[in-house]
Amino acid sequence: MQIEVKNIEDLKNVVECIKNSGKNIIILSGTLGSGKTTLVKEFVKLLGLSDEVTSPTFAIQNVYGEKVYHYDLYNKGVDEFLALGMLEELEKEGYHFLEWGEGLEDILKLYGIDYLLIKITLEGDKRIFECQN
């Protein structure tokens, strides 16, 4: 499913796609500045949480409330994510957003872990969010 996003309000459609997917592990794929962290911010806001959402680029993981886990593998990479035992974090109840987590797809499949892939592309003044089950 492709969702065109021209403003912050349009992100509610992507949030609904995530909720309706029935999946709690979400891999966010897109270039720098494509809106990965902004999507997580809107998701947290629409859940009614008041936590400040920031990119976990240097921390590798941020947790919002007890429901949302936010990871960023940009600096650390998949190998360090695995070496730190972070794969086990994905077993916790809640939503798990993985920025730059494309390299985890084969590992998740190997262990039978279901996930939703969201590819974000820029097109002029809008973004296209493609939810791939």
Side-chain angles (χ1 to χ4, degrees):
M1 164 189 284
Q2 285 192 347
I3 301 168
E4 187 176 294
V5 174
K6 291 184 178 179
N7 55 52
I8 265 314
E9 279 295 308
D10 291 342
L11 281 175
K12 71 179 182 278
N13 298 322
V14 182
V15 169
E16 286 306 310
C17 175
I18 293 167
K19 287 181 175 180
N20 293 335
S21 75
K23 298 182 180 156
N24 67 334
I25 298 171
I26 302 99
I27 295 176
L28 301 174
S29 175
T31 60
L32 284 171
S34 63
K36 297 179 294 293
T37 299
T38 301
L39 172 60
V40 177
K41 283 181 185 180
E42 195 63 17
F43 189 89
V44 166
K45 178 181 160 188
L46 290 172
L47 282 182
L49 300 173
S50 60
D51 297 54
E52 180 182 347
V53 174
T54 59
S55 179
T57 301
F58 299 103
I60 205 167
Q61 179 193 50
N62 289 340
V63 181
Y64 312 114
E66 296 177 3
K67 301 177 182 179
V68 181
Y69 301 85
H70 185 195
Y71 311 86
D72 189 325
L73 280 64
Y74 184 76
N75 281 329
K76 304 288 185 190
V78 171
D79 290 339
E80 190 162 340
F81 180 85
L82 296 171
L84 291 169
M86 297 301 287
L87 191 61
E88 293 166 4
E89 288 289 298
L90 302 180
E91 295 175 1
K92 292 182 178 177
E93 190 174 326
Y95 290 94
H96 298 265
F97 290 89
L98 295 132
E99 294 189 30
W100 306 99
E102 298 90 336
L104 278 176
E105 288 181 83
D106 289 339
I107 293 161
L108 295 176
K109 287 177 188 173
L110 179 67
Y111 288 104
I113 301 171
D114 212 7
Y115 63 90
L116 175 67
L117 174 64
I118 298 181
K119 289 186 176 183
I120 308 166
T121 54
L122 304 173
E123 287 187 10
D125 64 344
K126 64 185 175 193
R127 287 164 170 75
I128 304 299
F129 286 73
E130 185 178 347
C131 299
Q132 300 179 353
N133 284 314

